[in-house]
Amino acid sequence: MDSLLTEDQLMLRDMVRKFAKERIEPEAGDNERNHRFPQEIINEAAEMGLMGIAYPEEFGGAGMDYLSYMIAVEEVSRACASTGVIISAHSSLACDPIFRFGTEHQKQKYLPSMLSGERIGAFSLSESNAGSDAGATQTTAKKVGDKWILNGSKLWATNGKQAGIFVLIASTEPELKTRGVSAFIVDANTPGYSVGKVERKLGIKATSTTEIILDNVELSEDALLGEVNKGFKIAMVTLDGGRLGIASQALGIARASIEDSIKYAKERKQFGQSISKFQAIQWMIADMWCQYESAWLLTWRASKMKNEGLDYSREAAMAKLMASEAAMFCANKCIQIHGGNGYTEDFNAERYYRDAKITEIYEGTSEIQRLVISRSLLKD
Ligand code: CAA
């Protein structure tokens, strides 16, 4: 697959791979067990430009393309899926909508501090009754004079505890449903804004996933992102890009599962030889690699389409669907190859398995990805 990447992309991959191996991997298990956000690592990643890979240098980004970003998220996630999604949620779900839909003033105001990693970004769309049905948001934004007043509560915000800037979706004309929803840029220091419940999760425990409470949060007019009542489309376009970030995270988990399986299979001896000599193990490794590379190619194609400004919603859904299923498949086989050892915390296999599961759920469940794919194929 190296032949599909440019020299710059290969150089970036090797640089991030080294950083992930030397710096992220050694403390990934510990951060996970202690629910510890890897702030030092994020600071170092930011110094390397990883918090703003696919954004122009004029706003403080690294000026690379979306494929480069995908490669970096995969490499980081190969070492630690939590760190991968911290970068992905920040970059795809917060920086991207501000960059794409923000005014020049909003871009100048928010992007430099976000792309430098000084302020982490988050996206707040979901609510207790608005998960897959993202248009059912009950959080309201009312125009009072020249201010917006926001009330309600949101759920499942990745980076919720650490983020300084949120792109948040609220209903501005509830009777219009998806056509009455708007997007706002919310500074976490605004009075009335607070972080509620911090979720205890099955995996990606080094990230924070939180409730966000909005109690008469007063925003100035220029907090509106894009046009009024056009927020649902902003959310959908944002999620198209986000799904490539999650596909890349899933690819990282799948590759970690395969590489650990190969290492273990060569070392582990049973019946007088290493278990890699048995066809049962060889076939599992072959199936894992086929799943990984198929998903990688779908993700590569969708990233290329995004770079080229093509409509890539369906391709992003396909990439996310197949990469997340590849991650689950590979993590499951990784435990199987490790046998009883794979079921213990002495090996990483159980962490990969727990981390893989969320990739089938967030930023659109596998069922929602199938819906997006089939709708685009069946439309008149
Ligand atoms: N790009 C641009 N516009 C889009 C679009 C896209 N990808 N998808 C839909 N739209 C537009 C439609 O064209 C339509 O436009 P009009 O009003 O002009 O007709 C409008 O949006 C409404 O579209 P639908 O009728 O298709 O809307 P729907 O209510 O049927 O919902 C859905 C469609 C695909 C199910 C959508 O609700 C969805 O993606 N749900 C999943 C939400 C999701 O991924 N949530 C995860 C939240 S983020 C997260 O996980 C937390 C985190 O921090 C990681």
Side-chain angles (χ1 to χ4, degrees):
M1 292 185 299
D2 284 13
S3 61
L4 297 176
L5 302 180
T6 64
E7 263 188 33
D8 283 351
Q9 288 162 350
L10 288 169
M11 266 171 56
L12 174 84
R13 184 196 65 185
D14 293 346
M15 178 187 81
V16 183
R17 189 171 284 182
K18 187 167 181 290
F19 172 65
K21 177 103 199 116
E22 291 175 0
R23 190 64 189 90
I24 303 179
E25 199 179 314
E27 60 177 72
D30 214 34
N31 286 337
E32 159 82 10
R33 271 185 291 281
N34 295 304
H35 300 252
R36 190 169 55 229
F37 186 86
Q39 187 59 58
E40 277 301 311
I41 284 172
I42 293 298
N43 295 346
E44 288 172 41
E47 271 171 36
M48 293 166 68
L50 302 187
M51 300 304 271
I53 296 174
Y55 298 95
E57 289 170 17
E58 64 169 302
F59 297 115
M64 300 186 84
D65 62 1
Y66 211 77
L67 209 49
S68 305
Y69 162 69
M70 168 205 140
I71 292 163
V73 173
E74 176 182 337
E75 292 305 325
V76 168
S77 304
R78 191 260 168 260
C80 172
S82 289
T83 312
V85 77
I86 291 165
I87 295 174
S88 173
H90 160 86
S91 190
S92 296
L93 300 183
C95 300
D96 198 58
I98 295 174
F99 176 64
R100 288 171 68 96
F101 300 101
T103 60
E104 194 55 31
H105 170 72
Q106 287 171 327
K107 289 193 236 186
Q108 294 291 356
K109 183 172 174 187
Y110 296 108
L111 287 178
S113 62
M114 293 175 81
L115 301 182
S116 70
E118 188 192 322
R119 303 188 88 186
I120 292 177
F123 180 63
S124 201
L125 168 68
S126 306
E127 296 179 8
S128 55
N129 293 316
S132 292
D133 185 5
T137 178
Q138 287 172 331
T139 293
T140 56
K142 288 208 173 89
K143 192 82 189 282
V144 180
D146 61 355
K147 302 278 181 210
W148 287 100
I149 310 293
L150 272 60
N151 278 294
S153 70
K154 312 293 282 183
L155 280 182
W156 311 119
T158 304
N159 294 340
K161 222 168 136 188
Q162 292 78 20
I165 302 293
F166 283 75
V167 170
L168 188 140
I169 307 296
S171 179
T172 29
E173 274 188 73
E175 58 287 1
L176 297 181
K177 304 213 158 77
T178 56
R179 291 177 180 165
V181 162
S182 304
F184 295 87
I185 306 174
V186 183
D187 188 317
N189 290 323
T190 314
Y193 167 97
S194 60
V195 174
K197 185 181 175 207
V198 179
E199 303 295 342
R200 304 280 296 184
K201 308 185 295 274
L202 175 70
I204 55 160
K205 294 183 186 186
T207 62
S208 66
T209 306
T210 74
E211 181 186 20
I212 301 296
I213 297 166
L214 303 146
D215 180 12
N216 282 315
V217 170
E218 189 178 295
L219 302 177
S220 62
E221 264 176 324
D222 77 351
L224 179 72
L225 181 63
E227 290 174 48
V228 74
N229 291 348
K230 297 284 191 228
F232 191 75
K233 285 195 185 177
I234 294 177
M236 291 298 110
V237 168
T238 299
L239 282 167
D240 285 342
R243 286 168 187 163
L244 292 184
I246 300 307
S248 308
Q249 183 203 23
L251 289 173
I253 300 168
R255 219 181 76 230
S257 303
I258 298 168
E259 289 174 2
D260 283 20
S261 295
I262 292 173
K263 181 170 180 288
Y264 186 83
K266 284 181 174 171
E267 286 169 5
R268 171 78 173 159
K269 289 203 166 46
Q270 288 291 275
F271 302 102
Q273 58 183 352
S274 79
I275 61 170
S276 65
K277 303 279 185 228
F278 294 110
Q279 271 191 345
I281 302 293
Q282 292 164 359
W283 290 0
M284 279 195 246
I285 302 274
D287 288 344
M288 289 158 87
W289 192 251
C290 289
Q291 292 248 353
Y292 165 75
E293 283 215 348
S294 315
W296 192 95
L297 287 165
L298 283 172
T299 310
W300 173 82
R301 179 187 61 167
S303 302
K304 241 174 124 48
M305 289 173 77
K306 178 167 164 61
N307 270 344
E308 288 163 16
L310 303 171
D311 177 1
Y312 70 102
S313 290
R314 181 177 72 204
E315 286 72 17
M318 290 166 68
K320 200 253 186 194
L321 174 64
M322 299 314 285
S324 58
E325 293 194 347
M328 270 313 281
F329 179 85
C330 293
N332 186 25
K333 294 290 181 215
C334 182
I335 294 190
Q336 197 64 21
I337 290 170
H338 282 71
N341 282 329
Y343 204 66
T344 70
E345 289 185 359
D346 293 342
F347 289 80
N348 289 332
E350 61 85 32
R351 170 160 62 89
Y352 303 153
Y353 188 77
R354 289 184 291 101
D355 287 347
K357 185 61 204 168
I358 190 60
T359 66
E360 292 187 319
I361 297 172
Y362 58 15
E363 301 198 30
T365 60
S366 294
E367 292 69 33
I368 290 295
Q369 308 312 324
R370 288 187 165 90
L371 182 139
V372 170
I373 297 161
S374 61
R375 272 190 187 177
S376 102
L377 293 170
L378 293 168
K379 77 174 176 214
D380 295 326

